[in-house]
């Protein structure tokens, strides 16, 4: 197992992070993070709350600015782009927020259609077909289309959020706690769905999660963070065999 900065084993990187630093006042959140994710590869980022996992995703989507270092999406350093350029790169990224972040006043269908309407000019019939195809791909049924987010379960909300994240056919998928708050069976279903999306769409993906069990379903590599640092990287078996005290303790806590 490699300890420290992981390097993708699968060729050219779709996501490249080099020496990324971020602090909020005196609190260091990211302390020189370096990682690579190749096209078609899924990296699971694990760690306790407050270790910088979600901040890393926010930097990759341009919602936070690092203090130093670079973050490249498909070769473009997003830390150096203006807003118009950043918005173009964002079209290549599908992002699932921790709470799904669906619009309460919109139906399931309207939530998924929103980015398509905003960023493309296609006929209404084609848009409806596209939305239905996306919702089918995440296991939703036709009778769910006109439901409001408040009328569906947390697991179904995550599925709709995934469908919306895929609406613009992104090259990159960033998922923040996709199984948070879900029961074990639903969490496993979401894990299998992420695996299926990886296999069929060949996207590069980073999944921030506390759910060690589901990572065994979909992740090619695991990266364990603590206090803004990378503590370990490798397969699930690599982490299991680590002699690092923190790694062993973390695995014991999440077993």
């Amino acid at each position: 197992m490699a300890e420290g900065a992981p390097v993708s084993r699968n060729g050219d990187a779709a996501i490249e992070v080099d020496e990324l630093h971020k602090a909020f006042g005196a609190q260091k959140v990211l302390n020189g993070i370096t990682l690579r994710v190749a096209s078609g590869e899924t990296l699971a980022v694990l760690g306790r709350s407050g270790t910088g996992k979600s901040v890393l995703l926010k930097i990759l989507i341009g919602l936070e600015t690092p203090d130093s270092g670079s973050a490249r999406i498909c070769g473009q350093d997003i830390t150096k782009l203006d807003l118009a350029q950043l918005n173009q790169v964002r079209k290549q990224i599908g992002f699932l927020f921790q709470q799904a972040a669906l619009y309460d006043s919109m139906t399931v269908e309207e939530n998924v259609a929103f980015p398509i309407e905003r960023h493309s000019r296609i006929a209404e019939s084609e848009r409806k077909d596209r939305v239905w195809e996306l919702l089918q791909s995440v296991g939703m049924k036709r009778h769910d289309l006109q439901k409001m987010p408040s009328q569906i379960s947390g697991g179904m909300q995550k599925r709709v959020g995934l469908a919306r994240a895929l609406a613009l056919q992104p090259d990159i998928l960033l998922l923040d706690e996709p199984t948070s708050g879900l029961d074990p069976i639903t969490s496993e279903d979401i894990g299998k769905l992420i695996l299926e999306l990886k296999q069929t769409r060949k996207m590069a993906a980073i999944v921030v999660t506390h759910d060690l069990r589901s990572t065994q379903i979909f992740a090619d590599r695991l990266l364990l963070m603590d206090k803004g640092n990378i503590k370990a990287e490798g397969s699930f078996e690599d982490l299991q065999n680590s002699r690092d005290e923190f790694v062993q303790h973390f695995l014991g806590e999440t077993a």
Side-chain angles (χ1 to χ4, degrees):
M1 177 184 67
E3 300 275 349
V7 178
S8 169
R9 300 169 297 191
N10 296 339
D12 295 336
I15 303 170
E16 301 173 85
V17 172
D18 286 298
E19 289 296 320
L20 209 59
H21 288 261
K22 179 66 177 179
F24 296 101
Q27 183 185 4
K28 290 184 178 180
V29 180
L30 296 176
N31 192 27
I33 295 296
T34 294
L35 61 87
R36 305 284 186 274
V37 183
S39 296
E41 181 182 26
T42 299
L43 174 70
V45 180
L46 300 152
R48 293 169 174 162
S49 298
T51 58
K53 306 184 303 299
S54 294
V55 173
L56 172 63
L57 291 192
K58 289 178 180 178
I59 290 174
L60 290 173
I61 198 71
L63 296 177
E64 292 283 357
T65 303
D67 298 327
S68 63
S70 64
R72 295 182 179 274
I73 297 293
C74 300
Q76 296 190 73
D77 187 351
I78 63 170
T79 66
K80 301 185 185 305
L81 301 181
D82 61 31
L83 182 58
Q85 294 169 323
L86 178 59
N87 283 335
Q88 287 300 311
V89 174
R90 283 172 171 164
K91 293 178 184 179
Q92 300 174 271
I93 305 171
F95 192 93
L96 177 65
F97 293 90
Q98 183 171 345
Q99 302 300 328
L102 301 180
Y103 298 109
D104 293 337
S105 61
M106 293 183 179
T107 65
V108 165
E109 181 180 27
E110 290 168 340
N111 264 280
V112 179
F114 182 78
I116 302 174
E117 292 176 340
R118 187 174 183 182
H119 296 293
S120 63
R121 296 180 179 179
I122 60 175
E124 182 179 359
S125 59
E126 185 179 349
R127 184 177 68 247
K128 283 183 173 291
D129 288 344
R130 173 74 178 138
V131 169
W132 171 229
E133 176 188 323
L134 287 163
L135 287 167
Q136 277 187 302
S137 74
V138 298
M140 299 296 286
K141 305 298 183 184
R142 188 173 289 278
H143 63 257
D144 296 320
L145 268 66
Q146 299 308 313
K147 290 181 179 178
M148 307 301 287
S150 61
Q151 296 175 308
I152 59 177
S153 67
M156 292 173 75
Q157 289 181 24
K158 292 288 178 74
R159 289 174 183 269
V160 176
L162 266 175
R164 187 176 63 184
L166 298 169
L168 298 180
Q169 299 179 306
D171 300 308
I172 308 289
L173 193 59
L174 304 177
L175 308 180
D176 192 2
E177 298 286 2
T179 61
S180 175
L182 303 180
D183 63 82
I185 294 175
T186 305
S187 295
E188 183 174 342
D189 288 342
I190 295 294
K192 290 177 180 177
L193 176 57
I194 295 170
L195 175 63
E196 182 181 340
L197 292 172
K198 181 186 78 169
Q199 292 172 335
T200 57
R201 296 176 183 264
K202 309 299 181 187
M203 296 175 293
I206 295 180
V207 183
V208 162
T209 183
H210 287 88
D211 187 355
L212 184 63
R213 179 180 177 183
S214 68
T215 64
Q216 298 174 60
I217 299 173
F218 61 78
D220 296 297
R221 287 186 295 135
L222 280 66
L223 184 150
L224 179 58
M225 291 179 61
D226 181 47
K227 298 177 181 178
N229 296 292
I230 296 174
K231 295 293 292 185
E233 177 269 339
S235 67
F236 178 75
E237 290 74 19
D238 289 333
L239 268 65
Q240 276 189 315
N241 295 328
S242 173
R243 297 180 180 178
D244 184 277
E245 184 177 347
F246 175 81
V247 177
Q248 292 180 340
H249 188 61
F250 180 83
L251 295 182
E253 284 183 339
T254 53

